[in-house]
Amino acid sequence: PVTATNFLRYVDQRKLDGTTFYRAMDLGRGYGLVQMGTRGNPQRTLRPIAHEPTSRTGLSHTDGTISLARLAPGTGGGDFFITIGDLVSLDAQPAGSGGDPDGFAAFGRVVEGMDVVRAIMAAPTDPNQGEGVMRGQMIAAPVRITTARRLPALVMVSPVPPVTAPTPPR
């Protein structure tokens, strides 16, 4: 709930308008992630939020998961990534397992348009751009996000079977 609310604040305040998908990490065989967001721009980035690990939410980084990018727990703000393929190694890992005990904060899922996400992951990257683990993962021509908006809520209506009144006694 905390991480999803954070994302919706960025959408509602139009802070994602004009930002880009700027990172594509292709791990091969249909696995990887694409990252987008404010890139720390102080005019766009809101205060960081508390970390919400998958061990608390019960979510997992499966194909199409939307998650909050961060450096350390509690530093996530206006950058988000989408997984391509199941990347459960990004989930919070049990203590002593050798993995990240905090993991990343998964909060949503792409329900339509994964073909576009995969095309972004396949975009050419610049081998000289990026720092640290992101070196070589920066998209040479970042993909611009024109607008990000909420869609009107869908109302699900189930047909109600007709009710027949009991026949009164005579």
Side-chain angles (χ1 to χ4, degrees), residues 40-152:
N41 177 330
Q43 281 74 40
R44 292 185 181 266
T45 306
L46 303 170
R47 288 187 324 203
I49 61 169
H51 184 59
E52 194 171 36
T54 56
S55 56
R56 187 176 334 148
T57 63
L59 302 175
S60 186
H61 287 87
T62 56
D63 188 43
T65 295
I66 307 169
S67 193
L68 180 64
R70 62 153 176 89
L71 294 174
T75 63
D79 290 276
F80 307 91
F81 63 89
I82 302 170
T83 60
I84 295 98
D86 294 348
L87 297 178
V88 297
S89 60
L90 299 175
D91 295 349
Q93 303 297 313
S97 68
D100 182 349
D102 300 306
F104 288 85
F107 67 90
R109 177 157 322 286
V110 174
V111 295
E112 186 176 323
M114 279 302 290
D115 55 327
V116 175
V117 175
R118 286 183 178 87
I120 294 170
M121 186 175 75
T125 55
D126 185 329
N128 301 311
Q129 293 295 314
E131 297 178 19
V133 299
M134 295 196 319
R135 186 163 186 82
Q137 298 176 2
M138 307 316 274
I139 299 173
V143 178
R144 182 176 155 84
I145 298 168
T146 306
T147 59
R149 298 290 181 273
R150 289 189 199 214
L151 293 175

Side-chain angles (χ1 to χ4, degrees), residues 26-51:
D26 188 345
L27 299 171
R29 298 186 322 234
Y31 291 90
L33 62 83
V34 295
Q35 188 167 327
M36 53 76 65
T38 65
R39 298 187 77 176
N41 177 330
Q43 281 74 40
R44 292 185 181 266
T45 306
L46 303 170
R47 288 187 324 203
I49 61 169
H51 184 59

